[in-house]
């Protein structure tokens, strides 16, 4: 899948593939001590950031990891987070959605809005290939399920951090 062709919106948020010119903002986001305790792969210098970007590009090229820079259009395109759909096995019924938000963006509903856009895109793009469920991997490795379109909040399988957003459940579109 061509990463340059995919952009998503959620209100003032623009979700787009990562670009090399995002490296300074990526480094600033990873400079946050709270975030560093939750992420699996530390990014502490330009070389780390370039390797991280290469992993994101490679995921798009392979079609098994679709990572988006989440930016706020009302703040001049400020980077406010990262969102990734991980689908290691094409045709699988489930995929993982993972995210982080930059310190300045926490508490503004960024994650829940961005996850809504990603969920709609994922089911719209992959439901015909068998996708039926998204598993949310939130900061700290907590899991929840985004099973269907309906009322309610994200059910947590192993609990979730107090700062984790409530995410509306969504259902994949009916197959023809």
């Amino acid at each position: 899948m061509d990463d340059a062709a995919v952009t998503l919106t959620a209100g003032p948020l623009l979700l787009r593939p990562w670009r090399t010119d995002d490296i300074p903002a990526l480094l600033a986001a990873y400079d946050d001590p709270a975030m560093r305790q939750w992420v699996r792969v530390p990014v502490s210098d330009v070389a780390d950031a370039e390797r991280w970007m290469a992993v994101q590009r490679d995921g798009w090229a392979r079609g098994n990891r679709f990572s988006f820079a989440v930016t706020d259009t009302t703040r001049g395109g400020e980077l406010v987070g990262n969102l990734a759909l991980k689908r290691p096995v094409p045709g699988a019924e489930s995929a993982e959605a993972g995210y982080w938000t930059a310190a300045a963006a926490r508490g503004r509903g960024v994650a829940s809005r961005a996850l809504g856009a990603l969920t709609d895109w994922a089911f719209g793009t992959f439901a015909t290939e068998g996708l039926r469920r998204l598993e949310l991997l939130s900061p700290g490795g907590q899991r929840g399920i985004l099973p269907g379109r309906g009322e309610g909040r994200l059910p947590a399988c192993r609990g979730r951090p107090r700062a984790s957003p409530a995410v509306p459940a969504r259902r994949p579109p009916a197959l023809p």
Side-chain angles (χ1 to χ4, degrees):
M1 180 175 291
D2 180 13
D3 67 333
V6 180
T7 59
L8 311 174
T9 58
L13 302 178
L14 173 67
L15 289 69
R16 58 164 175 75
W18 284 89
R19 305 183 303 226
T20 304
D21 63 346
D22 292 321
I23 287 178
L26 178 66
L27 288 168
Y30 270 81
D31 194 40
D32 171 33
M35 190 166 113
R36 281 195 310 262
Q37 81 178 29
W38 297 112
V39 295
R40 293 180 187 175
V41 179
V43 176
S44 56
D45 58 30
V46 172
D48 287 346
E50 288 171 345
R51 280 189 292 277
W52 189 91
M53 291 282 186
V55 168
Q56 309 322 304
R57 284 190 301 273
D58 185 57
W60 278 95
R62 292 176 183 263
N64 62 3
R65 180 184 174 88
F66 307 96
S67 185
F68 295 88
V70 181
T71 63
D72 187 335
T73 61
T74 64
R75 294 175 180 244
E78 171 189 9
L79 176 70
V80 293
N82 173 60
L83 195 56
L85 176 71
K86 299 174 223 168
R87 195 159 185 243
V89 180
E93 286 190 0
S94 66
E96 279 185 359
Y99 72 93
W100 54 255
T101 52
R106 293 184 195 129
R108 297 190 343 223
V110 167
S112 59
R113 285 184 298 205
L115 283 163
L118 180 76
T119 300
D120 289 343
W121 174 76
F123 285 126
T125 303
F126 300 113
T128 58
E129 297 177 18
L131 183 65
R132 297 288 174 268
R133 184 180 71 241
L134 288 181
E135 298 176 3
L136 175 64
L137 184 61
S138 64
Q142 304 301 314
R143 288 187 180 272
I145 306 295
L146 298 170
R149 224 181 268 278
E151 297 85 36
R153 294 178 181 256
L154 176 70
C157 295
R158 294 185 320 205
R160 67 179 168 216
R162 278 179 264 160
S164 185
V167 179
R170 298 177 185 271
R171 173 166 300 151
L175 295 175

